[in-house]
Amino acid sequence: MGQLFSKKNKEVFSAPLGIDNPVTVQVLGICSALAVTAKLEPAIVMGLSVTVITAFSNVVISLLRKTIPNRIRIIVQLVVVAALVTIVSEILKAFAYDVSVQLSVYVGLIITNCILMGRLEAFAMQNGPWESFLDGVGNGLGYAKILVIVAFFRELLGSGTLLGFNILNYEPIQNIGYVNNGLMLMPPMALIIVACIIWYQRARHKELQEESN
């Protein structure tokens, strides 16, 4: 049990949640961060979907890594990911149809998500199933964390709601001058919020700052 949760494995899981976040440090998965964060609910579902797919595709590829011919490894990875994406997509249509409609084509595009393909190639192909599972969960949750933060501010300040519940659209709040900012619902605001998160993270962790020439 101690070996399963060794210091190295804890770091594999925790690093993507902070100092090696796939969105703010590796700058991957930005497209979906723009597309699905106008509301909090689809952002949460998208984040969880990517987490599940990344974790289990990592495990499958790790188990198969010694039997996959090098020249077709990318094809095998895509087949595994496509199968998992199809399963997740069908589950969403069955149990969360409205959210599935909001996510539109972006669930299908998880197949080509840079975070997912990067972890398969860089980690799962070189490590065991348990380590690969932790890496997949960590990177998926790191991605989901940023999506949730961005969606929280965009929905709250853009629509005055959270998860569809009214938070700011009350007369006393509007009487003191509050007005929903429609600009927050536009994709560029997702980039600005992500940029603010990157700025905060790099200000807090000096080792992430590039040295000036």
Side-chain angles (χ1 to χ4, degrees):
M1 182 64 72
Q3 189 175 2
L4 290 177
F5 296 99
S6 64
K7 182 178 179 181
K8 180 183 177 182
N9 286 346
K10 288 179 180 178
E11 186 176 347
V12 165
F13 173 78
S14 62
L17 296 173
I19 201 166
D20 195 26
N21 187 277
V23 179
T24 60
V25 178
Q26 302 174 45
V27 196
L28 301 173
I30 296 293
C31 294
S32 51
L34 282 131
V36 303
T37 54
K39 292 185 178 295
L40 190 55
E41 186 179 18
I44 293 172
V45 173
M46 184 68 169
L48 292 177
S49 298
V50 170
T51 300
V52 170
I53 293 168
T54 305
F56 286 99
S57 61
N58 261 16
V59 171
V60 173
I61 294 300
S62 177
L63 290 170
L64 298 175
R65 71 187 188 281
K66 294 181 180 178
T67 63
I68 302 174
N70 189 57
R71 60 185 177 181
I72 64 167
R73 69 187 190 283
I74 301 298
I75 296 173
V76 174
Q77 291 169 13
L78 285 172
V79 169
V80 170
V81 172
L84 289 170
V85 167
T86 301
I87 292 170
V88 168
S89 178
E90 293 303 312
I91 290 173
L92 288 178
K93 288 177 182 178
F95 297 102
Y97 182 75
D98 290 342
V99 177
S100 176
V101 171
Q102 291 180 57
L103 291 174
S104 183
V105 299
Y106 294 101
V107 173
L109 289 175
I110 293 174
I111 295 171
T112 56
N113 190 299
C114 299
I115 298 169
L116 199 152
M117 296 305 297
R119 298 327 297 166
L120 294 178
E121 185 69 11
F123 197 91
M125 288 293 291
Q126 284 82 39
N127 293 274
W130 175 244
E131 293 83 358
S132 297
F133 177 77
L134 292 177
D135 179 78
V137 173
N139 277 276
L141 290 178
Y143 166 84
K145 170 185 171 182
I146 301 303
L147 257 65
V148 168
I149 292 173
V150 174
F152 175 87
F153 288 106
R154 289 185 70 192
E155 183 177 356
L156 179 64
L157 301 179
S159 302
T161 62
L162 284 176
L163 294 173
F165 294 101
N166 184 24
I167 303 296
L168 298 176
N169 295 316
Y170 292 104
E171 189 173 344
I173 298 176
Q174 294 174 342
N175 286 340
I176 61 175
Y178 172 79
V179 178
N180 288 331
N181 186 352
L183 185 64
M184 294 296 293
L185 300 177
M186 299 179 67
M189 284 308 302
L191 276 180
I192 293 173
I193 297 172
V194 169
C196 291
I197 297 171
I198 293 173
W199 168 77
Y200 170 78
Q201 188 174 28
R202 296 197 174 199
R204 185 177 179 185
H205 299 283
K206 302 296 183 183
E207 62 269 32
L208 294 176
Q209 299 178 14
E210 295 87 354
E211 293 183 5
S212 57
N213 294 328

